[in-house]
Amino acid sequence: MNTHFDADTLCISAYGAVTPLGSNLDEIHASFINEKSGIREIKKFDHRYFQTHEAGIPVEGNAAISWPKKSPFRNGELFYAGLAAKRLHDRLRLSAYYSVEEIGCIVGIDEPAIDIEQCIGFSEKVPADADKQCLVDAALEHFKIGDFLDLDTTAVLKTIHDIIPFAGLSFAHLGLCSASTQSIGLAMRAIRSGEIKVAICGGVSAKVTPLNLARLEGMGVISTDEHYCGTGRSRPFDRHRSGFVLAEGAGLFVIEKLSSVLARQDKPLAYLLGYGGALCAQHIVMPHQDDLEMQLSMERAIEHAGIDRNTIDFVNTHGTSTLQNDQHEASAIRKVFGEHNPAIVATKSYHGHLIAAAGAMEILGVLVSFQHDLLPKILNCDEPDPQLSDGIALVNEHQHRPLKYALKNSFGMGGGAGSLVLGNPKYL
């Protein structure tokens, strides 16, 4: 092992996932190699009145969640969180190695949204000439305590806790599209500070809903380009990109010190070497005009890792396929790396944008890259935008070569940014 690493090096040691590309790294690898998209028809609700008919939905979610709600699940976030936690627990039983006080849980989630079905049902019970007392009586009759779990940011934590008990530092992080990457950075700091010894972290999102789809179509941020079918609409860095493809799912990771992993004769999946975050709230939606938050998060992550930026083999980009993100991210990468051209990967072209779970999904992709020395091609980048591709090395065909260091980017609306430097245990 390289002397750069010691017993206190933090690493990802286990995962639990439910994603549009499958539930484990082998399935995700097969999707990459076979260029198989996880974008599929929406089965959860009637989509005939939308322009969007396909999304990145896990097979399990398409089968178990429905509108009107006929399933036992109050919301999709709890379904995905529970399933990912069970799969994580099956791979690593933390209670065998840590006390509950030593285990924390920091998870990126979407902002809670009012259940539109509940609101419609309530309004139908209220007469047009209702007075205040009538409104109160109707609300007391209609809403139940369990309904408020849909609006409680701790509901995902409770679901995970029911499967993997923890009593250390824990919170749900509302970081929009960078939430799960930021949750890992926050967990790294909590372990380093001694507040906890191990963390469950990652992201959970279930935003493929009628209300959210209508909202995003109205904002014009998801692709509704009729020239392409659903699997062809996510086109990172392509000149014909027109927006992201909505997706959902969950990815949970165990983060702990290398010494703990080796003590139980286990092997790390990846080293977590550096984290950088930034916020440049110049605009509620668009990135900073000078790519400032993107540049700062990458530079801070590399500085925190203590490695030369020229050693980064590839960047797993945020790569949303929106006009603004791809333009600014490409510009920021050029500023950070100069003449060094790390390979540019954009796996949202396979699975879509999982919002709060996007970074977690893409970190699973980094683990696949490390295990198989694979840089998956960017799907649908048939005509790279010359304004973006100049000076960066887009991966337009699968590449196999040794990969030591990866930089993972996640950027959110409002100017939030998070970047991670990960190392490959095969070579370090």
Side-chain angles (χ1 to χ4, degrees):
M1 184 177 295
N2 191 306
T3 55
H4 178 77
F5 303 94
D6 57 31
D8 288 334
T9 297
L10 297 181
C11 56
I12 296 173
S13 58
Y15 71 94
V18 49
T19 85
L21 300 183
S23 62
N24 58 60
L25 298 184
D26 288 341
E27 291 175 346
I28 295 170
H29 174 244
S31 294
F32 288 163
I33 286 294
N34 297 316
E35 301 177 22
K36 181 181 178 182
S37 174
I39 310 302
R40 51 182 57 91
E41 184 184 357
I42 300 169
K43 299 288 188 181
K44 297 165 56 178
F45 55 85
D46 184 355
H47 51 77
R48 77 183 98 174
Y49 300 111
F50 292 95
Q51 293 175 280
T52 300
H53 306 291
E54 295 175 294
I57 306 177
V59 171
E60 302 95 327
N62 238 351
I65 308 169
S66 62
W67 278 267
K69 290 184 179 176
K70 299 175 183 176
S71 73
F73 306 106
R74 286 182 296 272
N75 62 27
E77 282 85 359
L78 304 190
F79 172 74
Y80 290 130
L83 192 52
K86 288 175 184 175
R87 290 170 175 171
L88 175 58
H89 185 58
D90 288 343
R91 290 189 173 93
L92 179 62
R93 295 183 180 269
L94 286 176
S95 59
Y97 306 100
Y98 297 95
S99 67
V100 292
E101 293 84 3
E102 294 172 325
I103 305 171
C105 186
I106 303 173
V107 179
I109 64 169
D110 295 313
E111 69 279 8
I114 293 174
D115 186 333
I116 192 67
E117 274 188 57
Q118 286 282 33
C119 293
I120 292 171
F122 173 66
S123 66
E124 290 174 345
K125 289 184 177 180
V126 179
D129 57 350
D131 58 19
K132 290 183 179 179
Q133 186 58 51
C134 183
L135 286 170
V136 171
D137 292 341
L140 290 173
E141 178 185 353
H142 183 74
F143 292 104
K144 310 301 179 187
I145 292 295
D147 298 330
F148 290 96
L149 285 175
D150 286 339
L151 302 176
D152 186 354
T153 57
T154 64
V156 165
L157 297 183
K158 180 183 183 303
T159 298
I160 297 171
H161 183 276
D162 288 343
I163 299 163
I164 310 172
F166 53 84
L169 175 70
S170 303
F171 57 89
H173 175 56
L174 294 170
L176 295 172
C177 306
S178 55
S180 53
T181 297
Q182 290 176 341
S183 83
I184 292 174
L186 294 169
M188 291 169 63
R189 291 178 177 176
I191 296 172
R192 285 284 185 217
S193 71
E195 293 178 88
I196 51 177
K197 289 188 176 180
V198 60
I200 304 160
C201 56
V204 180
S205 180
K207 281 297 190 183
V208 183
T209 67
L211 180 61
N212 196 49
L213 196 57
R215 179 173 69 94
L216 293 173
E217 284 191 351
M219 292 172 63
V221 295
I222 58 177
S223 177
T224 57
D225 191 338
E226 294 182 355
H227 292 95
Y228 302 102
C229 63
T231 58
R233 286 181 174 176
S234 184
R235 316 182 66 81
F237 303 104
D238 186 76
R239 71 159 71 223
H240 299 296
R241 70 192 186 281
S242 61
F244 65 80
V245 173
L246 187 60
E248 64 183 25
L252 298 178
F253 304 96
V254 170
I255 293 178
E256 55 186 325
K257 290 183 179 180
L258 178 61
S259 56
S260 299
V261 179
L262 298 179
R264 61 173 182 267
Q265 299 183 324
D266 205 349
K267 296 180 180 180
L269 297 170
Y271 297 128
L272 288 168
L273 305 178
Y275 168 71
L279 175 67
C280 298
Q282 185 182 60
H283 191 276
I284 191 62
V285 176
M286 293 187 295
H288 191 278
Q289 63 183 10
D290 296 322
D291 333 308
L292 189 56
E293 77 277 16
M294 298 180 177
Q295 181 179 348
L296 286 174
S297 71
M298 286 189 275
E299 289 177 340
R300 288 168 177 169
I302 295 169
E303 181 180 2
H304 185 212
I307 62 173
D308 190 311
R309 65 190 62 197
N310 293 332
T311 64
I312 299 290
D313 294 295
F314 70 103
V315 180
N316 185 300
T317 63
H318 191 51
T320 58
S321 181
T322 62
L323 294 174
Q324 290 284 340
N325 175 87
D326 293 6
Q327 173 188 334
H328 287 280
E329 187 167 13
S331 174
I333 289 170
R334 283 193 291 266
K335 291 176 182 176
V336 169
F337 289 101
E339 295 183 0
H340 175 55
N341 279 338
I344 303 301
V345 171
T347 61
K348 282 187 178 72
S349 58
Y350 292 82
H351 50 69
H353 191 348
L354 279 73
I355 314 300
M361 175 75 245
E362 287 139 26
I363 289 167
L364 290 167
V366 172
L367 299 183
V368 169
S369 289
F370 281 172
Q371 288 188 356
H372 297 275
D373 290 326
L374 169 69
L375 295 172
K377 70 173 288 187
I378 303 173
L379 292 186
N380 306 317
C381 190
D382 303 325
E383 296 183 50
D385 188 331
Q387 294 183 345
L388 312 187
S389 59
D390 183 32
I392 62 173
L394 298 175
V395 177
N396 289 320
E397 295 295 337
H398 293 320
Q399 297 179 23
H400 285 89
R401 55 185 170 88
L403 301 169
K404 291 185 179 180
Y405 295 107
L407 178 68
K408 168 70 208 125
N409 288 334
S410 292
F411 305 130
M413 288 190 294
S419 298
L420 288 166
V421 173
L422 300 97
N424 189 348
K426 285 172 59 177
Y427 301 111
L428 299 171

